């Protein structure tokens, strides 16, 4: 069988694992998951694929050029979907170094390894090759009026995280413009769903609520984010990678703007209904207003007209249905959360993958 191979970087993370589960189910590609397994990388999110012959894991840092070169020679991919990144804004404020290293230097290293491989391809394979860079709406900065981010909104990143992602977007774009590498860029809003590391708002609130801890709300809780189900994002990535036009950027959003307070209240109401507190009171009582995030962006909102018009993508999940399924998933998968929090999955990794890890 002559399989088409696609590299996915950051495939052990929240969105990358959702994408790999989708690609294995809906394409006939072989997927090579290139991941360093930082605190946010968890192969337990892909345990259902561990025996699938179309799934390969490589324990690799995207800053390691020699290792990337070896992978390109070994697997001869038809394209790269690049998600590996440091992704948490609060961590970037506390310590930006890893964000500069992985998001900027790592993307540069991956672009250069890709370019070296791509340049030597036969013309036909060169033309069909794709480098898909996965990015965030945070590169556009913060909105104060009712306007929406479009693909031509100027970049105004405000946090170390968003500045590092903006830098990587510029690098990817420049490699297209200068070298002709067929680059696609997507900028997406806040994702929620299963297997998200419990440092981000949605899983943190669910976990803290169930453990009787405070639900920390930054500032007044009136900052606005646009929420998108992670499986809808994965479907959009599959579509852009397969049908998008090189050199183009596509914004991806859920058309679901909510204040943080609305999100937390929704989660509390769902938990009240699905797993009531033993004392019969509402989880909303655990809400606690805490000091604001420094430089906290006021509002993000996406105009996703282009991807709908050009590629026919629309989110399938509403905020209400998606949040209900998400809460149900976390309630049914307490083990996954427990392992992630305790670091137990690292033992699981050694036990289950010691002879499967390349490198
Ligand atoms: P995540 O933090 O859950 O996962 C990141 C993955 O990258 C982890 O598996 C980690 O081990 C891996 N990684 C980190 N540094 C690496 C390195 N140097 N080499 C190889 N692998 C490395 O992130 P996520 O939330 O799944 O986000 C994935 C991508 O999507 C990121 O590029 C992020 O900027 C972007 N994005 C995220 C969101 C969101 O709401 N989470 C929204 C828009 C865009
Ligand atoms: O917009 C896309 C971005 O969404 C992605 O690029 C990032 O990788 C992803 O982490 C996310 O960034 P945010 O900063 O918006 O997500 P976070 O879940 O950290 O916070 C969402 C909102 O909730 C934000 O306004 C801060 C607030 N918040 C967050 C936490 C963790 C709280 O009020 N309390 C909290 O404890």
């Amino acid at each position: 069988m002559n399989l088409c191979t696609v590299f996915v970087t950051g495939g052990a993370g929240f969105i990358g694992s959702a994408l790999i589960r989708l690609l294995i189910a809906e394409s006939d590609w072989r997927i090579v998951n290139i991941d360093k397994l930082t605190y946010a990388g968890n192969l337990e999110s892909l345990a259902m694929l561990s025996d699938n012959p179309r799934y390969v894991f490589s324990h690799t840092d995207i800053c390691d050029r020699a290792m990337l070169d070896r992978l390109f020679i070994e697997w001869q991919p038809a394209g790269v979907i690049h998600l590996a990144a440091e992704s948490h804004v609060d961590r970037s404020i506390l310590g930006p170094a890893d964000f500069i290293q992985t998001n900027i230097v790592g993307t540069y290293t991956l672009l250069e390894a890709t370019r070296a491989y791509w340049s030597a391809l036969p013309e036909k394979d060169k033309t069909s090759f794709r480098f898909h860079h996965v990015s965030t709406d945070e590169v556009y900065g913060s909105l104060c009026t009712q306007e929406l981010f479009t693909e031509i909104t100027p970049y105004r990143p405000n946090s170390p995280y968003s500045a590092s992602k903006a830098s990587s977007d510029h690098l990817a774009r420049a490699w297209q413009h200068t070298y002709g590498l067929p680059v696609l860029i997507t900028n997406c809003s806040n994702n929620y769903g299963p297997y998200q590391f419990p440092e981000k708002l949605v899983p943190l609130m669910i976990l803290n609520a169930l453990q009787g801890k405070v639900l920390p709300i930054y500032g007044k809780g009136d900052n606005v984010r646009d929420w998108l189900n992670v499986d809808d994002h994965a479907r959009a990535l599959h579509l852009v990678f397969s049908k998008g036009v090189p050199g183009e950027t596509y914004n991806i959003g859920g058309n679901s703007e909510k204040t943080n307070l609305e999100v937390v209240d929704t989660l509390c109401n769902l938990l009240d209904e699905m797993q009531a507190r033993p004392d019969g009171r509402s989880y909303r009582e655990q809400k606690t207003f805490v000091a604001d995030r420094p430089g906290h962006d006021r509002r993000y909102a996406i105009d996703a007209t282009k991807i709908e018009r050009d590629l026919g993508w629309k989110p399938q999940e509403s905020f209400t249905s998606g949040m209900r399924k998400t809460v149900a998933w976390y309630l049914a998968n307490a083990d996954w959360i427990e392992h992630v929090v305790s670091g137990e999955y690292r033992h699981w990794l050694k036990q289950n993958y010691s002879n499967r890890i390349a490198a």
Side-chain angles (χ1 to χ4, degrees):
M1 190 168 45
N2 199 6
L3 281 179
C4 165
T5 298
V6 173
F7 284 1
V8 173
T9 72
F14 166 50
I15 301 170
S17 65
L19 177 66
I20 291 178
R21 291 191 298 272
L22 178 89
L23 294 180
I24 291 291
E26 300 204 346
S27 78
D28 55 6
W29 305 334
R30 175 195 288 123
I31 304 299
V32 178
N33 174 12
I34 297 173
D35 200 295
K36 181 184 173 181
L37 297 182
T38 66
Y39 77 95
N42 180 0
L43 290 177
E44 222 175 313
S45 309
L46 293 164
M48 65 298 281
L49 302 181
S50 57
D51 292 326
N52 190 307
R54 286 172 42 231
Y55 170 70
V56 178
F57 173 65
S58 174
H59 190 193
T60 296
D61 185 335
I62 55 163
C63 300
D64 183 344
R65 174 64 193 269
M67 188 61 200
L68 291 175
D69 287 344
R70 282 204 290 280
L71 288 173
F72 275 107
I73 289 166
E74 182 178 0
W75 295 106
Q76 303 280 310
V80 176
I81 311 180
H82 173 39
L83 296 99
E86 289 293 336
S87 69
H88 189 39
V89 174
D90 292 331
R91 281 183 192 253
S92 83
I93 295 167
L94 288 170
D98 286 346
F99 290 72
I100 305 304
Q101 185 62 20
T102 285
N103 299 1
I104 306 178
V105 178
T107 299
Y108 156 75
T109 308
L110 181 66
L111 280 165
E112 277 297 77
T114 306
R115 184 168 75 91
Y117 161 76
W118 169 80
S119 305
L121 286 175
E123 211 48 49
K124 190 172 127 296
D125 297 341
K126 239 174 135 171
T127 308
S128 61
F129 188 89
R130 297 287 180 267
F131 184 98
H132 181 163
H133 176 66
V134 177
S135 192
T136 169
D137 60 357
E138 299 199 11
V139 298
Y140 298 123
S142 185
L143 294 164
C144 295
T145 62
Q146 280 313 301
E147 63 189 319
L148 305 172
F149 296 136
T150 73
E151 287 80 1
I152 56 167
T153 301
Y155 274 33
R156 296 175 72 97
N158 288 318
S159 71
Y161 163 70
S162 56
S164 69
K165 290 297 291 186
S167 307
S168 63
D169 291 14
H170 291 319
L171 291 173
R173 187 184 165 281
W175 261 240
Q176 152 91 34
H177 188 78
T178 305
Y179 304 113
L181 184 71
V183 169
L184 299 149
I185 300 178
T186 49
N187 296 88
C188 187
S189 59
N190 285 59
N191 284 215
Y192 68 90
Y195 301 105
Q196 187 169 29
F197 193 84
E199 64 186 354
K200 308 281 167 62
L201 183 70
V202 170
L204 183 76
M205 294 298 144
I206 297 172
L207 198 65
N208 278 11
L210 294 172
Q211 293 180 345
K213 295 183 183 163
V214 298
L215 308 179
I217 295 166
Y218 299 164
K220 295 187 181 137
D222 54 0
N223 298 64
V224 173
R225 298 290 182 265
D226 168 43
W227 291 93
L228 178 70
N229 185 272
V230 69
D231 294 322
D232 275 323
H233 187 191
R235 280 187 278 274
L237 296 177
H238 185 192
L239 193 61
V240 170
F241 180 73
S242 308
K243 305 234 170 83
V245 177
E248 293 291 324
T249 286
Y250 299 88
N251 280 354
I252 306 171
N255 203 16
S256 277
E257 281 184 59
K258 304 284 171 206
T259 65
N260 293 335
L261 263 182
E262 285 173 315
V263 174
V264 176
D265 282 336
T266 301
L267 295 170
C268 289
N269 293 343
L270 286 165
L271 285 169
D272 285 343
E273 180 194 321
M274 295 159 86
Q275 188 163 313
R277 261 174 49 159
D279 63 5
R281 301 166 80 115
S282 172
Y283 289 101
R284 285 194 303 278
E285 291 185 11
Q286 290 165 232
K287 289 191 296 186
T288 307
F289 292 94
V290 299
D292 209 353
R293 172 185 279 174
H296 198 172
D297 282 339
R298 180 94 205 127
R299 172 174 164 255
Y300 305 142
I302 286 271
D303 179 349
T305 307
K306 178 175 172 181
I307 187 172
E308 181 175 354
R309 185 194 59 219
D310 292 3
L311 302 178
W313 175 87
K314 266 204 293 205
Q316 295 177 10
E317 204 71 69
S318 72
F319 179 81
T320 312
S321 64
M323 282 294 172
R324 176 173 287 277
K325 286 181 192 166
T326 299
V327 171
W329 187 89
Y330 283 96
L331 288 174
N333 289 277
D335 281 2
W336 182 88
I337 299 173
E338 171 58 27
H339 292 176
V340 168
V341 173
S342 68
E344 200 177 305
Y345 77 90
R346 297 199 180 276
H347 301 297
W348 177 91
L349 171 69
K350 278 201 190 114
Q351 279 167 7
N352 292 280
Y353 273 86
S354 57
N355 55 356
R356 293 179 55 89
I357 297 176

